[in-house]
Amino acid sequence: MTQDRRSGAIDRITAIDDGCIGHFIAGQAVPGAGTTFDVTEPATGQSLGTARDATAGELDAAVKAAKDAFPAWAAVPGDKRRAVLHRIADLIVERAEEIAAVECVDAGQCWRFMSKAAIRGAENFRFFADRAPGARDGQALPAGGQLNVTTRTPIGPVGVITPWNTPFMLSTWKIAPALAAGCTVVHKPAEWSPYSARLLVEIAHEAGLPAGVFNAVNGLGETTGRRLTEHPDIKAVAFVGESRTGSAIMKQGADTLKRVHFELGGKNPVIVFDDADLDRALDAVVFMIYSLNGQRCTSSSRLLVQSSIREAFEAKLAARVANLKVGDPLDPATEVGPLIHQRHLDKVASYMDIARADGAKIAVGGERIEGAGYFFQPTLFTGAAQSMRIAQEEIFGPVLTVIPFEDEADAIAKANDVEYGLAGYVWTRDMGRGLRVSQALEAGMVWVNSENVRHLPSPFGGVKASGIGRDGGDWSFDFYMETKNIALAYQDHAIQKLGA
Ligand code: NAD
């Protein structure tokens, strides 16, 4: 079964544009004429094919398609947009196995998580589909003698730029609300995992989305990504990726005054107090850093554990980490797969020397796994201090840093002592403490006695270097739409008679 899934996915990938993936513009596959770059399979290190970096002309064509399609799509009644988005969700569900297998092969993510990720992508479409009819609704704000009425209109063609870690699910989270709002889209997926983005754009057209409403271009960040963010006809950029890329995009978009939405990196703390349900806390700690190969923005990559329970908790944790099943991502039993790329493997591996030099201990793992592919042992650092680089920097691999704390104030101080502020996790049976700590954490999202459980109406996003803006619920529409206020005078008032 595993082998069948892999060969099916590879057949599907190599069938796209005869093995050299190009673009999808105005409802058509466009092979492209730009330079090519290799795409490798993380589990084997072998080439899956090549991809085209869009030329300036191809990028312009994609933006023009989105611009031309915008007035008609924006005018489509909300209930009709709702119906198309539901059809997209239906087709994603029908093809969930195929999408999941492509994602495993292309991004190295494990089947046990990807088989659900495609379905979550469909749920993202359904959630925003159902909100499409009400997206324009505004408020009535009475003032003395005037009634203020607000409405919302879609902002225009938007650029969506996504990373390689869970490409399909993440793209749907950005693209579904844009389409539901009435915007048109040019999507640029990450160069290390470009294939599931093609499946999504094809599915959208098969579902009846008009040509040009959703376009996808491939290419490198510094060329295609840059041109997209600089393009005067792109009104807003929704970006998910590294903090320093977000900073570059803000500069690139400055001349055209782009509206930006950034979901960036994290160095998220999970704080375990000595009164917590320690068995559940242990499950959550392991899940939130070692699932998705540690390549998850909301991963709890720092464990802050109260000193009184540190030794016992660390011992149980070490046993679990040493027991994680690393292997073929398509094998349903596998818990940790490979890292995305040789360059990323080198980056993660480099933190082993950094940890040793700073005086931390590698309690578990710490080595590349010999053989094909970009595998790294699940790793646990102990004896760490908050000042060390392994406690400050986003490593983005299956690597957890344990830092002890003494009391509530110490936990809060250490949790906040990073440049990032995406998510935080708190484990305690004392709900008063849970609330106090949640309020004190510098983070966009806090889960108390829980791992990251997504709830689509709730806001998702970070503070500090972790982002600008929120997704989810109506927050997504606020980004993709302009609010207009119309003031209607319903009684005469004194108007100053200048020059009378
Ligand atoms: P990255 O920033 O290197 O690349 C992301 C995308 O940006 C890619 O498509 C890339 O081609 C493009 N890009 C690069 N330079 C660009 C430029 N100058 N102009 C325009 N586009 C450019 O990130 P990555 O390595 O692919 O992904 C990992 C990062 O993403 C991690 O930091 C992770 O925390 C973050 N992430 C955040 C969230 C979140 O919700 N906060 C979710 C997933 C991943």
Side-chain angles (χ1 to χ4, degrees), residues 42-58:
T44 62
Q46 287 169 10
S47 174
L48 285 171
T50 51
R52 294 269 182 198
D53 194 11
T55 62
E58 288 159 0

PDB file of all heavy atoms in Angstrom, residues 42-58:
ATOM      1  N   PRO A  42      12.195  14.613  -0.240  1.00  0.00           N
ATOM      2  CA  PRO A  42      12.940  14.643   1.025  1.00  0.00           C
ATOM      3  C   PRO A  42      13.302  13.251   1.560  1.00  0.00           C
ATOM      4  O   PRO A  42      14.359  13.077   2.158  1.00  0.00           O
ATOM      5  CB  PRO A  42      11.982  15.361   1.979  1.00  0.00           C
ATOM      6  CG  PRO A  42      11.123  16.199   1.091  1.00  0.00           C
ATOM      7  CD  PRO A  42      10.958  15.418  -0.174  1.00  0.00           C
ATOM      8  N   ALA A  43      12.435  12.261   1.336  1.00  0.00           N
ATOM      9  CA  ALA A  43      12.687  10.933   1.922  1.00  0.00           C
ATOM     10  C   ALA A  43      13.790  10.172   1.200  1.00  0.00           C
ATOM     11  O   ALA A  43      14.361   9.225   1.765  1.00  0.00           O
ATOM     12  CB  ALA A  43      11.398  10.113   1.917  1.00  0.00           C
ATOM     13  N   THR A  44      14.095  10.540  -0.043  1.00  0.00           N
ATOM     14  CA  THR A  44      15.111   9.787  -0.793  1.00  0.00           C
ATOM     15  C   THR A  44      16.251  10.678  -1.283  1.00  0.00           C
ATOM     16  O   THR A  44      17.309  10.177  -1.659  1.00  0.00           O
ATOM     17  CB  THR A  44      14.478   9.135  -2.046  1.00  0.00           C
ATOM     18  OG1 THR A  44      13.982  10.188  -2.899  1.00  0.00           O
ATOM     19  CG2 THR A  44      13.331   8.204  -1.683  1.00  0.00           C
ATOM     20  N   GLY A  45      16.032  11.977  -1.330  1.00  0.00           N
ATOM     21  CA  GLY A  45      17.033  12.882  -1.887  1.00  0.00           C
ATOM     22  C   GLY A  45      17.067  12.833  -3.409  1.00  0.00           C
ATOM     23  O   GLY A  45      17.862  13.523  -4.043  1.00  0.00           O
ATOM     24  N   GLN A  46      16.171  12.025  -4.008  1.00  0.00           N
ATOM     25  CA  GLN A  46      16.156  11.926  -5.474  1.00  0.00           C
ATOM     26  C   GLN A  46      15.324  13.051  -6.094  1.00  0.00           C
ATOM     27  O   GLN A  46      14.427  13.591  -5.450  1.00  0.00           O
ATOM     28  CB  GLN A  46      15.560  10.589  -5.903  1.00  0.00           C
ATOM     29  CG  GLN A  46      16.515   9.438  -5.642  1.00  0.00           C
ATOM     30  CD  GLN A  46      15.823   8.093  -5.816  1.00  0.00           C
ATOM     31  OE1 GLN A  46      14.698   8.022  -6.307  1.00  0.00           O
ATOM     32  NE2 GLN A  46      16.502   7.046  -5.394  1.00  0.00           N
ATOM     33  N   SER A  47      15.631  13.320  -7.361  1.00  0.00           N
ATOM     34  CA  SER A  47      14.900  14.378  -8.051  1.00  0.00           C
ATOM     35  C   SER A  47      13.469  13.928  -8.345  1.00  0.00           C
ATOM     36  O   SER A  47      13.231  12.806  -8.798  1.00  0.00           O
ATOM     37  CB  SER A  47      15.627  14.708  -9.354  1.00  0.00           C
ATOM     38  OG  SER A  47      14.848  15.620 -10.090  1.00  0.00           O
ATOM     39  N   LEU A  48      12.521  14.826  -8.094  1.00  0.00           N
ATOM     40  CA  LEU A  48      11.130  14.556  -8.489  1.00  0.00           C
ATOM     41  C   LEU A  48      10.834  15.190  -9.835  1.00  0.00           C
ATOM     42  O   LEU A  48       9.841  14.885 -10.476  1.00  0.00           O
ATOM     43  CB  LEU A  48      10.174  15.160  -7.453  1.00  0.00           C
ATOM     44  CG  LEU A  48      10.037  14.422  -6.125  1.00  0.00           C
ATOM     45  CD1 LEU A  48       9.243  15.266  -5.136  1.00  0.00           C
ATOM     46  CD2 LEU A  48       9.366  13.068  -6.329  1.00  0.00           C
ATOM     47  N   GLY A  49      11.690  16.127 -10.225  1.00  0.00           N
ATOM     48  CA  GLY A  49      11.488  16.845 -11.479  1.00  0.00           C
ATOM     49  C   GLY A  49      12.080  18.233 -11.350  1.00  0.00           C
ATOM     50  O   GLY A  49      12.866  18.506 -10.434  1.00  0.00           O
ATOM     51  N   THR A  50      11.671  19.087 -12.264  1.00  0.00           N
ATOM     52  CA  THR A  50      12.146  20.472 -12.201  1.00  0.00           C
ATOM     53  C   THR A  50      10.942  21.406 -12.188  1.00  0.00           C
ATOM     54  O   THR A  50       9.817  20.992 -12.500  1.00  0.00           O
ATOM     55  CB  THR A  50      13.041  20.809 -13.417  1.00  0.00           C
ATOM     56  OG1 THR A  50      12.345  20.435 -14.602  1.00  0.00           O
ATOM     57  CG2 THR A  50      14.374  20.097 -13.359  1.00  0.00           C
ATOM     58  N   ALA A  51      11.209  22.637 -11.824  1.00  0.00           N
ATOM     59  CA  ALA A  51      10.150  23.662 -11.816  1.00  0.00           C
ATOM     60  C   ALA A  51      10.692  24.901 -12.509  1.00  0.00           C
ATOM     61  O   ALA A  51      11.894  25.142 -12.530  1.00  0.00           O
ATOM     62  CB  ALA A  51       9.751  23.984 -10.386  1.00  0.00           C
ATOM     63  N   ARG A  52       9.806  25.681 -13.070  1.00  0.00           N
ATOM     64  CA  ARG A  52      10.184  26.912 -13.775  1.00  0.00           C
ATOM     65  C   ARG A  52      10.072  28.123 -12.853  1.00  0.00           C
ATOM     66  O   ARG A  52       9.063  28.278 -12.155  1.00  0.00           O
ATOM     67  CB  ARG A  52       9.232  27.178 -14.940  1.00  0.00           C
ATOM     68  CG  ARG A  52       9.293  26.184 -16.054  1.00  0.00           C
ATOM     69  CD  ARG A  52      10.294  26.612 -17.092  1.00  0.00           C
ATOM     70  NE  ARG A  52      10.277  25.619 -18.176  1.00  0.00           N
ATOM     71  CZ  ARG A  52      11.253  25.488 -19.056  1.00  0.00           C
ATOM     72  NH1 ARG A  52      12.323  26.284 -18.991  1.00  0.00           N
ATOM     73  NH2 ARG A  52      11.183  24.591 -20.002  1.00  0.00           N
ATOM     74  N   ASP A  53      11.070  28.957 -12.921  1.00  0.00           N
ATOM     75  CA  ASP A  53      10.973  30.273 -12.290  1.00  0.00           C
ATOM     76  C   ASP A  53      10.227  31.157 -13.300  1.00  0.00           C
ATOM     77  O   ASP A  53      10.665  31.280 -14.453  1.00  0.00           O
ATOM     78  CB  ASP A  53      12.400  30.810 -12.055  1.00  0.00           C
ATOM     79  CG  ASP A  53      12.428  32.001 -11.122  1.00  0.00           C
ATOM     80  OD1 ASP A  53      11.395  32.289 -10.490  1.00  0.00           O
ATOM     81  OD2 ASP A  53      13.493  32.642 -11.033  1.00  0.00           O
ATOM     82  N   ALA A  54       9.115  31.739 -12.901  1.00  0.00           N
ATOM     83  CA  ALA A  54       8.318  32.533 -13.858  1.00  0.00           C
ATOM     84  C   ALA A  54       9.159  33.688 -14.402  1.00  0.00           C
ATOM     85  O   ALA A  54       9.892  34.336 -13.651  1.00  0.00           O
ATOM     86  CB  ALA A  54       7.072  33.087 -13.159  1.00  0.00           C
ATOM     87  N   THR A  55       9.042  33.940 -15.677  1.00  0.00           N
ATOM     88  CA  THR A  55       9.689  35.136 -16.237  1.00  0.00           C
ATOM     89  C   THR A  55       8.861  36.357 -15.835  1.00  0.00           C
ATOM     90  O   THR A  55       7.697  36.227 -15.402  1.00  0.00           O
ATOM     91  CB  THR A  55       9.719  35.075 -17.781  1.00  0.00           C
ATOM     92  OG1 THR A  55       8.351  35.053 -18.231  1.00  0.00           O
ATOM     93  CG2 THR A  55      10.452  33.849 -18.296  1.00  0.00           C
ATOM     94  N   ALA A  56       9.446  37.536 -16.019  1.00  0.00           N
ATOM     95  CA  ALA A  56       8.703  38.765 -15.688  1.00  0.00           C
ATOM     96  C   ALA A  56       7.410  38.823 -16.503  1.00  0.00           C
ATOM     97  O   ALA A  56       6.347  39.220 -15.996  1.00  0.00           O
ATOM     98  CB  ALA A  56       9.580  39.982 -15.960  1.00  0.00           C
ATOM     99  N   GLY A  57       7.477  38.388 -17.764  1.00  0.00           N
ATOM    100  CA  GLY A  57       6.293  38.422 -18.630  1.00  0.00           C
ATOM    101  C   GLY A  57       5.224  37.450 -18.145  1.00  0.00           C
ATOM    102  O   GLY A  57       4.021  37.757 -18.190  1.00  0.00           O
ATOM    103  N   GLU A  58       5.646  36.269 -17.673  1.00  0.00           N
ATOM    104  CA  GLU A  58       4.666  35.283 -17.184  1.00  0.00           C
ATOM    105  C   GLU A  58       3.995  35.774 -15.896  1.00  0.00           C
ATOM    106  O   GLU A  58       2.787  35.594 -15.704  1.00  0.00           O
ATOM    107  CB  GLU A  58       5.365  33.928 -16.966  1.00  0.00           C
ATOM    108  CG  GLU A  58       5.722  33.245 -18.289  1.00  0.00           C
ATOM    109  CD  GLU A  58       6.823  32.212 -18.179  1.00  0.00           C
ATOM    110  OE1 GLU A  58       7.359  31.989 -17.075  1.00  0.00           O
ATOM    111  OE2 GLU A  58       7.178  31.633 -19.227  1.00  0.00           O
TER     112      GLU A  58
END
